[in-house]
Amino acid sequence: MKRILLKLSGEALAGDKHTGFDEATVMVVAKQVKQLVDCGTEVGIVIGGGNFWRGRTSENIDRTKADQIGMLATVMNCIYVSEIFRSVGIMTQVLTPFTCGAFTKLFSKDRAGKYFSKGMVCFFAGGTGHPYFSTDTATVLRAVEIEAEGIFLAKAIDGVYDSDPKINPAAVKYDEISIQEVIDRQLAVIDLTASIMCMENKMPMYIFSLNEENSIVKAISGEFSGTKVTV
Ligand code: UDP
């Protein structure tokens, strides 16, 4: 694929620690993305913030402020992962929908396009820039804006199941499922706002496990064994 958007959850960065960063885990991602970039794929990345903070889990502070902290957590994640990427020889830029001084560049489609054409990986940090949204929504929004061919969701689980395989050992994995069915069956792939955006903008998604060897490269180069969400 020519241009894709890769979504990593915040927890994925933490490895077994569940919070903060696990450098070995991020290095595995970096080496795979390097292979993709070397083959000419343009890679945009969105990272969640759950390894630090989630707005809705705070009960005592204003939701808007709690969500701002969450968005800043995603900026920290992107700066960290961007630096690990640079350490393996990938050129990167971190873009945010709000100004962060000299820490990041302000997002625009044109700016992202310019960086892609120079062979850089673009990190879309800071979510949508608005509270009450998630990085799932930011993922679809940026994928649509940059005209990505698809969204690749690297998860702790290897695809979409008809029920939770941790609870139901007979749960069945889908090879392919439509976004309409994901919405109707309330399958927890991405949140509802993001799912609707995917459907309206006809953006396919590929769900696969981050924990399998070379899974990002395999997923994007066609050896895909997860679930394709069709539109
Ligand atoms: N967030 C936000 N707006 C966005 C993206 C993220 O307010 O556009 C905040 C929100 O508080 C969220 C946190 O950042 O809980 C971390 O984002 P992530 O999508 O990882 O959170 P989750 O969906 O797991 O709550």
Side-chain angles (χ1 to χ4, degrees), residues 4 39 50 96 118 120-121 123 125 129 137 148 153 171 179 189 203 225:
I4 60 106
C39 291
T96 45
K118 290 181 176 170
M120 294 174 163
V121 166
F123 287 84
T137 313
L153 289 178
I179 187 73
V189 180
M203 178 57 66
S225 58

Side-chain angles (χ1 to χ4, degrees), residues 2 6 8 13 44 50 63 85 103 230:
K2 177 73 185 135
L6 176 66
L8 305 167
L13 306 185
R63 171 72 190 263
F85 276 28
F103 294 6
T230 61

Side-chain angles (χ1 to χ4, degrees), residues 116-208:
F116 283 134
S117 69
K118 290 181 176 170
M120 294 174 163
V121 166
C122 291
F123 287 84
F124 302 118
T128 62
H130 299 284
Y132 296 95
F133 287 103
S134 65
T135 53
D136 282 350
T137 313
T139 300
V140 183
L141 178 63
R142 293 293 179 245
V144 172
E145 279 182 285
I146 65 167
E147 297 174 60
E149 280 174 63
I151 293 170
F152 287 79
L153 289 178
K155 294 207 167 221
I157 187 164
D158 63 350
V160 180
Y161 284 77
D162 62 352
S163 55
D164 186 345
K166 281 191 212 130
I167 299 166
N168 175 16
V172 176
K173 189 174 107 184
Y174 297 99
D175 292 332
E176 203 171 288
I177 185 170
S178 71
I179 187 73
Q180 182 70 64
E181 226 179 321
V182 167
I183 295 169
D184 292 346
R185 293 180 178 223
Q186 299 183 7
L187 301 170
V189 180
I190 51 172
D191 61 43
L192 190 58
T193 312
S195 299
I196 302 277
M197 269 202 80
C198 242
M199 190 168 68
E200 283 181 343
N201 294 286
K202 300 192 172 17
M203 178 57 66
M205 279 188 296
Y206 302 81
I207 292 90
F208 64 98

Side-chain angles (χ1 to χ4, degrees), residues 10 13 21 47-54 66-80 98 125-127 135:
L13 306 185
F21 303 124
I47 307 176
N51 54 328
F52 284 121
W53 180 266
R54 286 196 172 92
D67 282 342
Q68 288 171 351
I69 298 169
M71 287 184 263
L72 289 172
T74 72
V75 177
M76 291 196 293
N77 282 342
C78 285
I79 293 174
Y80 177 80
F98 42 78
T135 53

